[in-house]
Amino acid sequence: MKELEDIFKIKISDSKIFQSALTHPSYIQENNLEYIDCYERLEFLGDAVLKLVTSDILFNMYPESTEGELSKIRSIIVSDSTLAKIAKDNGLCDLIIISAHDRKQGLAKLDSVCACAFEAVLGAYYLDGKVDDIKKYIQSAIKPYIIDVKDNFLKYNAKEILQEYTQSKTKTRPEYRVISESGPAHKKVFEVEVSYEGEVLAAEKGLSKKDAEQKAAFCACKKLGIER
């Protein structure tokens, strides 16, 4: 709990809910514990807290942006990829309580697991009565990402932008195909190519299929001269 307090700079009153917030479902299965002892319910609550605070930040930061633009930025900010970056950078992923087998497989470092634990801790702080403190933490943690997404929207939203472009031309969607996979299960590297009407536009690698698709779409947009 002391390590968790050091990460978030917020004192903990009820340590039991934070124990649950850090516990992966595999651990409770391995040790015959109750479902409520894992992070899934707290993740549900933390997700709502995160979206509310993020929406409030975006609403005030960009008063001229449309609802659609704000929604797109928010979806990127609250994605597993962004939340996992925060959780890995601040050391939260190292505190996840997971089954011995899954830890050996490196699953505690998966983006989805790190993101779930991060949201669960937000939910735990909410229940612990630290609403104002956790709002301040979220603001400081995600503002740099919000600014980066806003300034580099094409990079983060390339798949949607590419699809809008191709459908405006021929009503045809770009197609994505995984052409190779490499690396261990917990750190796989995917190579994906994107094609349009039979022509391969680009191929890129990423630590997830979505990441590789986004990178390939970004390169395709650059190749086609699509700017936003």
Side-chain angles (χ1 to χ4, degrees):
M1 294 304 106
K2 179 63 170 63
E3 291 178 85
L4 199 58
E5 288 180 336
D6 289 342
I7 288 171
F8 287 86
K9 303 294 187 294
I10 306 172
K11 288 292 183 181
I12 290 171
S13 300
D14 182 359
S15 60
K16 189 177 187 305
I17 56 174
F18 289 90
Q19 185 83 8
S20 298
L22 293 172
T23 302
H24 188 265
S26 67
Y27 185 84
I28 66 168
Q29 293 167 5
E30 183 181 64
N31 293 276
N32 296 315
L33 301 175
E34 297 293 327
Y35 168 73
I36 59 172
D37 292 325
C38 80
Y39 61 45
E40 290 184 337
R41 279 172 52 84
L42 287 165
E43 175 206 347
F44 166 79
L45 179 60
D47 174 70
V49 172
L50 177 64
K51 284 179 179 174
L52 176 59
V53 176
T54 302
S55 299
D56 182 63
I57 295 169
L58 288 169
F59 188 84
N60 288 292
M61 280 183 71
Y62 303 113
E64 303 301 321
S65 294
T66 66
E67 177 271 340
E69 291 170 336
L70 296 178
S71 293
K72 288 176 182 177
I73 296 173
R74 186 183 64 187
S75 69
I76 296 167
I77 297 302
V78 302
S79 68
D80 283 358
S81 176
T82 302
L83 301 185
K85 285 177 185 175
I86 296 172
K88 290 174 183 178
D89 287 346
N90 67 20
L92 177 65
C93 293
D94 297 329
L95 305 182
I96 295 173
I97 303 164
I98 195 167
S99 71
H101 174 266
D102 284 353
R103 183 166 296 283
K104 286 180 181 178
Q105 296 298 313
L107 296 187
K109 296 294 184 180
L110 284 180
D111 281 3
S112 57
V113 174
C114 293
C116 286
F118 180 76
E119 290 181 324
V121 170
L122 299 184
Y125 268 120
Y126 178 84
L127 290 180
D128 203 39
K130 307 301 192 302
V131 178
D132 290 338
D133 291 324
I134 203 60
K135 283 174 67 176
K136 290 177 184 176
Y137 176 82
I138 293 171
Q139 288 171 346
S140 65
I142 69 170
K143 266 193 175 180
Y145 290 95
I146 289 174
I147 294 168
D148 187 45
V149 171
K150 179 69 173 176
D151 291 346
N152 301 281
F153 191 69
L154 173 60
K155 180 177 73 173
Y156 288 99
N157 209 42
K159 281 185 69 177
E160 184 174 339
I161 291 169
L162 179 61
Q163 181 171 311
E164 288 176 357
Y165 173 81
T166 60
Q167 288 189 310
S168 71
K169 294 292 183 182
T170 61
K171 293 188 169 62
T172 304
R173 294 184 178 187
E175 296 182 355
Y176 298 86
R177 184 172 72 90
V178 176
I179 56 179
S180 71
E181 295 181 25
S182 59
H186 68 284
K187 202 172 183 180
K188 271 190 175 297
V189 175
F190 298 87
E191 185 173 12
V192 170
E193 67 175 22
V194 56
S195 59
Y196 170 54
E197 295 194 324
E199 178 188 354
V200 176
L201 299 176
E204 287 292 331
K205 294 180 179 179
L207 295 178
S208 68
K209 291 178 184 178
K210 287 184 178 179
D211 181 40
E213 287 175 357
Q214 196 69 245
K215 289 178 178 176
F218 177 67
C219 287
C221 286
K222 289 290 188 182
K223 181 178 180 179
L224 295 170
I226 305 168
E227 300 290 344
R228 277 288 180 94

